[in-house]
Amino acid sequence: MCGIVGYIGDKDVSSVLMSGLWKLEYRGYDSSGIAVIDDGDLKVRKSFGKLMQLQELLQREPVGGSLGIGHTRWATHGEPSDQNAHPQTDCNGKIAVVHNGIIENYYTLKEELIKRRHIFKSTTDTEVIAHLVEEEFRGDLKEAVLKAVEKLKGSFAIAVISEDQPDRIVAYRKGSPLIIGLGRNENLLASDIPAVIGHTKEVVILEDDEMAVLKKDGVEFYTKDGERIEKQVQEVPWKPDDMDKGGFPHYMLKEIYEQPEVIRRNISLRIRNKKIDLGENFNFTPDELARVNRIIIQACGTSWHAGYIGKYLLEDIARVHTEVDISSEFRYRNPVVNGETLVIAISQSGETADTLAGIREAKAKFLRVLSIVNVLGSTIARESDGVIYINAGPEIGVASTKAFTAQVFNVYMFTLYLARLKWTIQKEEMLKRLSELEGLPDAIERILKRDDVIRGIAERFKDKKHFLFLGRGINYPTALEGALKLKEISYIHATGYPAGELKHGPLALVDENMPVVAIATRSSVYEKMLNNLEEVKSRGGVVISVVTEGDERAKAVSDYTIEVPDVPEYLSPIVNAVPLQLLAYHIAALNGRDVDKPRNLAKSVTVE
Ligand code: M6R
């Protein structure tokens, strides 16, 4: 989705803006641009296509100055083009605006503005903001922006500059993320923390209907009524290196390899003195949790798969009836709930529009909401009653990897915590399960050491047009996740199925051209799974299996195998997901795909 940046200070403004935009590239975009006040004049440079095109434009037509705003655009209103790229400007080319979100009433506003003789240059919804600010400007940009946003419906994070007040950037947030980075004699704004982390670790997260006025020597914060407010400054525990590829060819591969460390970090944060600690933002009391008799998990994509695994865990271990719903469905259905229903939202970014809408639906029904989130202070985290952070660190690759395994880990922690409150497991069993976790990072490391085996399989199958992924029980969602990883980054059709469903339809697809990727590790459904693989083999299918180390029986019904260490069944999705991530990665990379930024996709889906 769109990314916005802003900078005011003594550094080379176009370089700072560009480096921020590169950091936001992961969000997905189709055009980009910057606007600066250079020698008292507003100058805009923007281009359709990749950031490299904007960079080349800036080399041909450089700009200077000490403040500016920048944008990566993911088209919603108006096709991707130079004209529709942001920043958008007013009639006189004195005011520039960048915007992330959607202005729902832009059409009506545009018609009215045209009647009042405003001239539009783009087909974006954003341009109305520039013209509204132009109409309201009486020498004070802050006042003009406050009056303009009163007329806007929808979700937006905006940053505005004017050559008539060239010492400030005015930013406003309603519904779309916006953070302010506080430096020494310089200040920044951005849609996400990675864009400011090279300059400062001190950030302020704007809430809805809050405004920031950035000057070189300080930032002032206001409510929508123009009242001055104080905001809490947070220190971001990230290093600038966290944003680098660290010698890996892609962020996705780096993030796959970070999983042992992420799980280690979570173990040390979540288990203290042999007890589960869900963190300082958890906010739920033991009494209210003990009363919960129904859970609805809602999420999208990979996070939904983590939630689906959660259903198996919560029902089996904590014995609480659990539904799992895709957020875009949940938000429009009318589920049967009661006062003891807990809604859990799972999201890496914490900004996914459908998941956020699901939370708002739940709250409208007076339900309590727990979110399981990666990004600190994100909208979903802030709108939930309590949060469990998954501590995965910044995930840049569009394909979610380390966030998935960290989500499953934290769902498991919550399950055990709830199970103790509900007395569905005894203390000894709890201690046993906690001690089992210690082997998890090493188990993942062992799989990473077999990466060359997985790459070899990827080479053999990279030209296939379709893949079928099979799993059973708690590894059925893992199979769905494997299929999603493959299709989103390789553009190869892949579909996931519960293996028991094979003979109810998908078996008809099986032949030598449809590789079947199966999760056949030892488990409560192991025998059933082997029977399913026999069915595939006897129809001439080619089977690639994830099997438990040394398991000759599973190898006998497979053409290719990837061995993984033996771990308890409820931890197996964390381990089994890793070879599937690597398989997808290698197939995509061998096919020359843009692994970190697959076509048509964005990292953070902030529109419906
Ligand atoms: O940030 P979220 O976890 O809410 O994002 C949900 C999905 O958009 C996301 O998981 C998506 O499916 C990924 N590209 C999968 O790799």
Side-chain angles (χ1 to χ4, degrees):
M1 299 289 108
C2 304
I4 68 181
V5 293
Y7 176 76
I8 183 161
D10 292 331
K11 292 181 185 145
D12 175 37
V13 67
S14 67
S15 308
V16 177
L17 294 175
M18 282 307 293
S19 83
L21 292 179
W22 285 111
K23 296 279 164 42
L24 296 181
E25 213 196 0
Y26 73 91
R27 296 166 72 86
Y29 69 105
D30 44 53
S31 57
S32 58
I34 66 167
V36 299
I37 311 277
D38 184 2
D39 254 350
D41 290 333
L42 182 80
K43 292 185 182 160
V44 178
R45 302 284 183 268
K46 52 188 191 172
S47 171
F48 168 74
K50 294 284 174 194
L51 273 174
M52 192 46 82
Q53 286 165 257
L54 177 63
Q55 184 120 335
E56 285 164 7
L57 175 64
L58 283 164
Q59 272 153 16
R60 290 193 304 276
E61 299 173 25
V63 291
S66 58
L67 87 155
I69 51 179
H71 191 261
T72 46
R73 174 172 189 253
W74 201 78
T76 55
H77 293 67
E79 78 285 357
S81 66
D82 286 355
Q83 286 289 36
N84 286 339
H86 298 199
Q88 292 293 326
T89 51
D90 70 324
C91 294
N92 306 312
K94 289 180 162 212
I95 293 165
V97 177
V98 290
H99 162 223
N100 172 20
I102 289 180
I103 306 301
E104 285 162 7
N105 59 337
Y106 90 99
Y107 192 78
T108 321
L109 291 171
K110 187 169 176 174
E111 278 187 324
E112 291 165 6
L113 285 159
I114 288 171
K115 276 189 205 142
R116 297 199 292 271
R117 297 181 185 279
H118 286 266
I119 305 198
F120 278 76
K121 304 166 287 297
S122 77
T123 51
T124 63
D125 52 342
T126 304
E127 195 181 340
V128 299
I129 306 172
H131 294 280
L132 288 172
V133 175
E134 174 192 353
E135 278 195 343
E136 299 294 349
F137 190 76
R138 315 259 184 284
D140 185 342
L141 191 59
K142 175 186 133 236
E143 290 302 319
V145 172
L146 281 174
K147 291 217 171 77
V149 296
E150 269 175 23
K151 301 191 173 110
L152 303 177
K153 292 202 175 109
S155 68
F156 46 89
I158 58 173
V160 188
I161 56 174
S162 165
E163 67 176 45
D164 288 330
Q165 241 184 347
D167 65 341
R168 66 196 61 197
I169 306 172
V170 176
Y172 193 95
R173 175 200 164 129
K174 185 179 182 185
S176 298
L178 194 57
I179 60 117
I180 308 298
L182 305 175
R184 286 222 178 106
N185 266 331
E186 60 176 4
N187 291 297
L188 303 100
L189 63 87
S191 299
D192 200 356
I193 293 168
V196 305
I197 203 75
H199 304 272
T200 179
K201 283 186 169 185
E202 294 197 343
V203 300
V204 171
I205 295 166
L206 281 194
E207 302 287 334
D208 278 352
D209 283 316
E210 285 182 354
M211 168 181 267
V213 178
L214 288 79
K215 297 186 188 164
K216 186 178 147 186
D217 56 359
V219 182
E220 292 163 4
F221 298 95
Y222 297 91
T223 65
K224 68 178 181 353
D225 303 316
E227 275 169 38
R228 183 94 185 257
I229 47 170
E230 294 303 318
K231 294 282 298 173
Q232 196 198 337
V233 180
Q234 301 190 26
E235 176 130 352
V236 183
W238 295 356
K239 308 179 288 299
D241 299 359
D242 288 343
M243 303 298 147
D244 296 338
K245 287 189 193 149
F248 287 89
H250 296 100
Y251 284 111
M252 180 181 175
L253 192 59
K254 177 191 173 219
E255 288 157 6
I256 291 172
Y257 272 76
E258 281 173 353
Q259 291 176 108
E261 183 198 325
V262 170
I263 298 295
R264 266 189 204 106
R265 188 186 309 146
N266 270 293
I267 291 172
S268 71
L269 289 168
R270 291 284 162 261
I271 304 168
R272 292 181 191 261
N273 296 328
K274 300 191 177 169
K275 287 203 173 117
I276 291 177
D277 178 350
L278 295 171
E280 58 188 23
N281 301 93
F282 181 57
N283 287 345
F284 282 84
T285 65
D287 280 353
E288 70 177 316
L289 280 179
R291 284 197 303 272
V292 167
N293 62 12
R294 185 164 184 206
I295 293 176
I296 302 176
I297 301 177
Q298 56 108 7
C300 303
T302 287
S303 299
W304 179 71
H305 296 151
Y308 210 148
I309 291 165
K311 172 183 168 67
Y312 283 84
L313 294 170
L314 285 157
E315 293 201 329
D316 191 29
I317 303 170
R319 307 303 299 154
V320 181
H321 172 76
T322 304
E323 287 170 53
V324 53
D325 220 338
I326 289 176
S327 300
S328 54
E329 291 299 314
F330 174 74
R331 64 182 289 188
Y332 293 117
R333 83 182 169 95
N334 189 11
V336 179
V337 295
N338 61 42
E340 268 72 54
T341 301
L342 172 71
V343 171
I344 301 181
I346 306 183
S347 175
Q348 186 286 130
S349 61
E351 300 294 345
T352 301
D354 283 320
T355 311
L356 183 58
I359 290 176
R360 290 174 181 163
E361 275 302 309
K363 295 202 123 186
K365 289 183 160 43
F366 304 103
L367 300 178
R368 297 270 284 162
V369 178
L370 168 67
S371 64
I372 299 181
V373 169
N374 192 30
V375 177
L376 191 79
S378 53
T379 312
I380 287 176
R382 283 180 298 109
E383 292 204 13
S384 303
D385 297 299
V387 189
I388 302 175
Y389 283 110
I390 64 167
N391 311 300
E395 190 180 66
I396 310 289
V398 164
S400 189
T401 53
K402 61 176 179 171
F404 173 72
T405 44
Q407 285 167 343
V408 175
F409 181 93
N410 279 283
V411 170
Y412 183 50
M413 289 296 95
F414 173 70
T415 303
L416 293 182
Y417 184 83
L418 186 61
R420 279 297 286 144
L421 293 176
K422 295 221 161 248
W423 295 94
T424 55
I425 60 171
Q426 301 304 313
K427 191 173 173 198
E428 296 67 38
E429 191 184 344
M430 170 80 147
L431 293 174
K432 175 174 155 283
R433 288 181 186 232
L434 293 184
S435 68
E436 286 165 352
L437 293 168
E438 284 161 22
L440 204 47
D442 290 349
I444 300 173
E445 252 153 26
R446 288 244 290 267
I447 301 167
L448 296 175
K449 287 194 180 124
R450 294 189 184 127
D451 195 6
D452 50 344
V453 174
I454 301 169
R455 191 175 191 279
I457 296 173
E459 262 165 12
R460 165 77 183 71
F461 289 95
K462 71 179 179 13
D463 297 321
K464 295 290 178 192
K465 302 280 176 270
H466 308 275
F467 280 76
L468 188 59
F469 282 72
L470 299 178
R472 289 189 83 123
I474 199 168
N475 279 298
Y476 158 48
T478 319
L480 295 180
E481 173 60 7
L484 175 61
K485 283 293 86 84
L486 183 63
K487 72 185 123 185
E488 73 175 322
I489 58 168
S490 71
Y491 319 151
I492 293 171
H493 172 241
T495 187
Y497 257 98
E501 268 291 288
L502 258 189
K503 56 172 87 65
H504 300 286
L507 198 53
L509 291 168
V510 168
D511 64 12
E512 69 282 6
N513 291 317
M514 168 75 114
V516 174
V517 181
I519 302 172
T521 45
R522 285 211 192 89
S523 69
S524 55
V525 286
Y526 169 74
E527 296 291 342
K528 307 273 174 210
M529 192 67 202
L530 293 199
N531 290 342
N532 295 133
L533 295 186
E534 295 278 10
E535 286 165 5
V536 172
K537 289 296 299 163
S538 58
R539 268 96 185 160
V542 181
V543 177
I544 306 162
S545 297
V546 177
V547 303
T548 307
E549 282 171 350
D551 181 0
E552 297 305 324
R553 279 188 65 204
K555 285 186 189 170
V557 289
S558 311
D559 297 279
Y560 298 84
T561 52
I562 306 166
E563 293 187 72
V564 298
D566 200 4
V567 294
E569 189 168 352
Y570 22 81
L571 298 180
S572 63
I574 297 179
V575 165
N576 293 340
V578 178
L580 303 186
Q581 295 166 349
L582 286 168
L583 184 66
Y585 170 78
H586 287 303
I587 290 177
L590 287 166
N591 280 311
R593 303 295 188 224
D594 192 351
V595 173
D596 287 331
K597 297 184 288 300
R599 68 185 181 198
N600 308 336
L601 299 181
K603 181 68 181 165
S604 177
V605 185
T606 52
V607 293
E608 186 176 357

